[in-house]
Amino acid sequence: MPIGTQNKPLQTVMWEAGKVRLIDQTALPEKLQYVEYTDWRDVAEAIRTMVVRGAPAIGCAAALGLALGARGIIADGRESFLRRVTGIADTFRAARPTAVNLFWAIDRVLAAAAETEGNPVDLKDAMLVEALLMLDEDIETNRRLGQYGAALLPDPVNVLTHCNAGALATVGYGTALGVVRAAVEAGKKVHVYADETRPRLQGMKLTAWELARDQIPVTVIADSMAASLMRQGKIDCVIVGADRIAANGDTANKIGTYGLAVLAQHHNIPFYVAAPLSTIDTKLASGLQIPIEQRDTVEMTHIEGIRIAPEGVDVINPAFDVTPGELITGFITEKGVLQPPFGSEASVPALPSEGQEETEAKETVTA
Amino acid sequence: MPIGTQNKPLQTVMWEAGKVRLIDQTALPEKLQYVEYTDWRDVAEAIRTMVVRGAPAIGCAAALGLALGARGIIADGRESFLRRVTGIADTFRAARPTAVNLFWAIDRVLAAAAETEGNPVDLKDAMLVEALLMLDEDIETNRRLGQYGAALLPDPVNVLTHCNAGALATVGYGTALGVVRAAVEAGKKVHVYADETRPRLQGMKLTAWELARDQIPVTVIADSMAASLMRQGKIDCVIVGADRIAANGDTANKIGTYGLAVLAQHHNIPFYVAAPLSTIDTKLASGLQIPIEQRDTVEMTHIEGIRIAPEGVDVINPAFDVTPGELITGFITEKGVLQPPFGSEASVPALPSEGQEETEAKETVTA
């Protein structure tokens, strides 16, 4: 069944009439509602509180938020403007520590300002244009990586995914779920197992919701059920997103990803990371250097505002873990299925011509 | 700090003045409350709805429930009485399919009746005496296996456990947590990581609660966090309970156990199963033959009565998985730390004399 026969494709991050408009992901799956921001500080807070989440979506929301903040600056001149823009950028950078796309996006919008000649009005325009370009690029990137990934999948296929690396984690279409969508569009029969992803249940609340909305078959499981399904031969491959990828391929992603990678290796199941190149942090030699966000333990002790844990018991809540690059079968990017080490731009292969795409994707993985 | 300085040891299953008295585990950790049953059918329902849970506790509750049911039978004679007792036993057998202790306990109480001479009154007494003996034996068994297990642990030690194999899963003291308690009593410094254990959160709600009650340090984690802690060297060993152990050592236990065993192997961490011999089902050659209970998916889709899953999305809820025997470092039982295959009684080693206990436990595991 074609995608979107009943529903418009989701767009998670938008610019509308001078406002940043986001899908409120804390309201899903009960209701699909949008929130609009006219104050950049509220956009930063929306990132912190996970109204918007997912590395690429965070990046684009921050880019738009920074452009929004810039528009509000009343500055005497160019230097004063740039100084104040940098202050806003720092607030966005502090919103969440792990996903590198946030820093990448902020840097790109700042560079657009710095590289533009003229007065603050010109710089504001350049920043917004750059942010909007990034939104368009994000969807295009996901469609491209989706095609590379889809070529890797058998038909029929049972895909296990963790957390949400879907339309809701990006501007649209998704990374891991972009691969799923592209496979469905290519006519493959795809069934997804979605780990519920404690503590915040993004797999149950977001991944299952957005796949069901697109009529893609999905079954929600507790995180602890994945191993048993693998042993029963019910999982053909694992595809996850990423929050930051080090030069050696070590990958930070939602807590629980590392365990899945170990389990996949034990069961000889391919384990793919689907992410745009902007998620690769070539400055980091290994995953040891990736900062891991520790979130409020109330996410563990309470669900829907109700306490589920005994009072006074110690709880931890690391939001991410790091999967060693050697456990990852391939990195599905907009430039093909890559292998570490990831160095400078030069080491990234050139875009293949149309006819070569599928072949290259397959070769890279069987290599 | 000695156990029970502030609190009496928990007793999960009791016989009191003609009634079966259970801790209501569905009310924990909010409140410690007891429920009393005068109708055996309600005891069977309490097993089904997990007011009482944990393989040994289920067995003992069923034994008492059957004895309670027997007392209510008004029968002409011995044969009529035994026929009606068998009917009650069948209802208990149907309450939950995976834990073998249930069947073992029912058989033992039935045998006590069958082997007793005399009229129905004599048989009723024999059944109750047998059930009460099983309650005493359970605590004694757990204390013994606890000592064997405690000898295996380094000092200090970080133990990871899954679900609840504690006092609340037994009549008292616990199996996996019996090992923890015995290690603490032996003066070892023990810290427990408790997997929360979705969907029913027995790790968070029961294990953390009963350890905190005994002032044993415990940290609750999401099931998906275990792998990352192992990689960081924060877990010294894994100890879990069991619902049924096949002759070759394949072990059914709470869903998620199998994944932990794979992860433990990957990280070279010892993985122990702590269980009484009554959990070993020597009639089953392998774990393939263990029936896996599929529970109501509402346990997945709702928490505290609130829907957390999108409407209409497919969900599965297998309550157990099977861990292959070869992933299990040792089986901590009341007769020592054993290795499969488990055959007839003859293959179970004789009880060592006091002086040999610790040595034997160590030897068995390093073998």
Side-chain angles (χ1 to χ4, degrees):
Chain A
M1 191 176 304
I3 302 286
T5 45
Q6 297 192 332
N7 295 302
K8 274 204 322 185
L10 294 168
Q11 185 165 348
T12 304
V13 181
M14 282 158 284
W15 178 259
E16 208 167 275
K19 298 172 190 159
V20 176
R21 184 173 153 95
L22 304 175
I23 292 177
D24 180 0
Q25 302 194 37
T26 64
L28 288 171
E30 290 76 24
K31 46 183 184 287
L32 173 58
Q33 70 185 24
Y34 295 82
V35 275
E36 293 183 341
Y37 300 96
T38 54
D39 187 328
W40 67 269
R41 292 170 196 84
D42 296 332
V43 180
E45 183 67 7
I47 292 170
R48 204 186 60 74
T49 58
M50 298 175 65
V51 169
V52 61
R53 27 66 52 203
I58 288 171
C60 288
L64 276 188
L66 180 55
L68 174 69
R71 281 159 68 96
I73 294 174
I74 301 164
D76 298 340
R78 185 187 167 88
E79 291 315 308
S80 155
F81 173 81
L82 284 174
R83 204 164 44 243
R84 292 185 53 194
V85 158
T86 302
I88 295 175
D90 288 344
T91 300
F92 277 105
R93 282 199 185 93
R96 296 197 66 191
T98 303
V100 74
N101 312 61
L102 171 63
F103 310 102
W104 167 84
I106 292 294
D107 287 344
R108 232 180 105 168
V109 174
L110 282 182
E115 289 160 9
T116 298
E117 314 245 330
N119 59 31
V121 173
D122 300 316
L123 273 55
K124 290 176 186 182
D125 286 348
M127 291 171 76
L128 182 57
V129 166
E130 185 70 12
L132 292 173
L133 177 65
M134 290 166 69
L135 267 62
D136 290 342
E137 283 177 5
D138 179 81
I139 295 178
E140 177 58 25
T141 290
N142 295 339
R143 289 196 167 272
R144 288 197 72 87
L145 74 81
Q147 284 174 11
Y148 284 115
L152 300 172
L153 303 188
D155 182 18
V157 63
N158 281 284
V159 174
L160 174 68
T161 190
H162 190 65
C163 196
N164 175 268
L168 292 167
T170 59
V171 177
Y173 202 71
T175 51
L177 299 191
V179 174
V180 166
R181 288 192 166 91
V184 171
E185 288 170 9
K188 291 187 178 177
K189 188 167 157 52
V190 186
H191 171 261
V192 176
Y193 284 101
D195 275 353
E196 64 172 2
T197 317
R198 277 282 286 155
R200 290 184 66 111
L201 299 168
Q202 294 96 329
M204 176 179 270
K205 293 189 168 198
L206 306 180
T207 293
W209 177 81
E210 74 165 84
L211 290 176
R213 188 174 182 275
D214 279 356
Q215 292 139 2
I216 297 173
V218 58
T219 301
V220 175
I221 64 172
D223 301 312
S224 62
M225 294 173 189
S228 179
L229 289 174
M230 288 184 184
R231 185 158 183 240
Q232 294 167 55
K234 291 186 177 171
I235 309 287
D236 299 307
C237 70
V238 183
I239 313 177
V240 297
D243 289 82
R244 195 184 305 207
I245 301 168
N248 69 346
D250 291 356
T251 296
N253 191 48
K254 181 55 55 196
I255 187 77
T257 302
Y258 167 57
L260 290 181
V262 172
L263 292 170
Q265 185 189 54
H266 181 84
H267 296 90
N268 290 311
I269 295 168
F271 183 93
Y272 300 111
V273 168
L277 292 176
S278 56
T279 309
I280 301 177
D281 187 351
T282 55
K283 294 192 301 298
L284 296 191
S286 88
L288 292 173
Q289 298 153 275
I290 300 175
I292 301 298
E293 179 180 11
Q294 306 291 323
R295 291 188 62 85
D296 194 326
T297 54
V298 78
E299 296 182 347
M300 282 286 295
T301 57
H302 290 66
I303 285 189
E304 308 287 344
I306 298 173
R307 172 173 275 277
I308 53 172
E311 294 275 356
V313 163
D314 188 36
V315 172
I316 58 173
N317 188 18
F320 304 96
D321 58 26
V322 175
T323 300
E326 56 266 30
L327 292 178
I328 298 166
T329 311
F331 293 81
I332 304 169
T333 76
E334 70 271 32
K335 293 209 177 171
V337 182
L338 308 182
Q339 296 293 340
F342 303 115
S344 62
E345 280 293 319
S347 73
V348 172
L351 278 173
S353 65
E354 284 299 313
Q356 293 178 313
E357 282 187 20
E358 191 164 309
T359 314
E360 175 181 298
K362 278 182 184 157
E363 276 172 0
T364 312
V365 159
T366 51
Chain B
M1 190 174 306
I3 301 287
T5 45
Q6 295 192 332
N7 294 302
K8 274 205 322 187
L10 293 168
Q11 185 165 347
T12 304
V13 181
M14 282 157 285
W15 177 259
E16 209 166 275
K19 298 172 190 160
V20 176
R21 185 172 153 94
L22 304 175
I23 291 177
D24 180 1
Q25 303 195 37
T26 65
L28 289 171
E30 290 77 24
K31 47 183 183 289
L32 173 59
Q33 70 185 23
Y34 294 82
V35 275
E36 293 183 338
Y37 300 97
T38 54
D39 188 328
W40 66 270
R41 292 171 196 82
D42 296 333
V43 179
E45 183 67 7
I47 292 170
R48 204 186 60 75
T49 59
M50 297 175 65
V51 169
V52 61
R53 30 64 53 205
I58 288 171
C60 288
L64 276 188
L66 180 55
L68 174 69
R71 282 160 67 96
I73 295 174
I74 301 165
D76 298 338
R78 185 186 166 89
E79 291 315 308
S80 154
F81 173 80
L82 284 174
R83 205 165 43 243
R84 292 183 55 193
V85 158
T86 303
I88 295 174
D90 288 344
T91 299
F92 277 105
R93 282 200 185 92
R96 296 197 66 191
T98 301
V100 74
N101 312 60
L102 173 62
F103 310 104
W104 166 84
I106 292 294
D107 287 344
R108 232 180 105 168
V109 175
L110 282 182
E115 290 161 8
T116 299
E117 314 244 329
N119 59 31
V121 172
D122 300 315
L123 273 57
K124 290 176 187 182
D125 287 349
M127 292 171 75
L128 182 57
V129 166
E130 185 71 13
L132 292 173
L133 177 66
M134 291 166 70
L135 266 62
D136 289 343
E137 283 178 5
D138 179 81
I139 295 179
E140 177 57 25
T141 291
N142 296 338
R143 289 197 167 269
R144 288 198 73 86
L145 74 80
Q147 285 176 9
Y148 284 114
L152 301 172
L153 304 188
D155 181 19
V157 63
N158 281 283
V159 174
L160 173 68
T161 191
H162 189 66
C163 195
N164 174 269
L168 293 167
T170 58
V171 176
Y173 202 70
T175 51
L177 299 192
V179 174
V180 166
R181 288 193 166 92
V184 172
E185 288 171 8
K188 291 187 178 177
K189 189 168 156 50
V190 186
H191 170 260
V192 176
Y193 284 102
D195 276 352
E196 64 172 4
T197 317
R198 277 281 288 155
R200 289 183 67 110
L201 300 168
Q202 294 95 329
M204 175 179 270
K205 293 190 167 199
L206 305 180
T207 292
W209 178 82
E210 73 164 85
L211 290 177
R213 188 174 182 275
D214 279 355
Q215 292 139 4
I216 297 172
V218 58
T219 301
V220 175
I221 64 172
D223 302 312
S224 62
M225 295 172 187
S228 179
L229 290 174
M230 287 183 185
R231 186 160 182 240
Q232 293 168 57
K234 292 185 177 173
I235 308 287
D236 299 306
C237 70
V238 183
I239 314 178
V240 297
D243 288 82
R244 194 183 307 208
I245 301 168
N248 69 346
D250 290 357
T251 296
N253 191 48
K254 180 57 54 195
I255 188 78
T257 302
Y258 167 57
L260 290 181
V262 172
L263 293 169
Q265 186 188 54
H266 183 84
H267 295 89
N268 290 312
I269 296 169
F271 183 93
Y272 299 112
V273 169
L277 293 176
S278 56
T279 308
I280 302 177
D281 186 352
T282 55
K283 295 191 301 298
L284 296 191
S286 88
L288 292 173
Q289 298 153 274
I290 301 175
I292 300 297
E293 178 180 11
Q294 306 290 324
R295 291 188 62 85
D296 195 327
T297 55
V298 78
E299 295 182 348
M300 282 287 295
T301 57
H302 290 66
I303 285 189
E304 307 288 342
I306 297 173
R307 171 172 276 277
I308 53 172
E311 294 275 357
V313 162
D314 188 36
V315 172
I316 58 173
N317 188 18
F320 303 96
D321 59 25
V322 175
T323 300
E326 56 266 28
L327 292 178
I328 298 166
T329 311
F331 293 80
I332 304 169
T333 76
E334 70 270 32
K335 293 208 178 172
V337 182
L338 308 183
Q339 295 293 339
F342 303 115
S344 62
E345 280 292 320
S347 73
V348 173
L351 279 173
S353 65
E354 284 299 312
Q356 293 179 316
E357 282 187 20
E358 192 164 308
T359 314
E360 176 182 296
K362 277 180 182 156
E363 276 174 358
T364 313
V365 159
T366 51

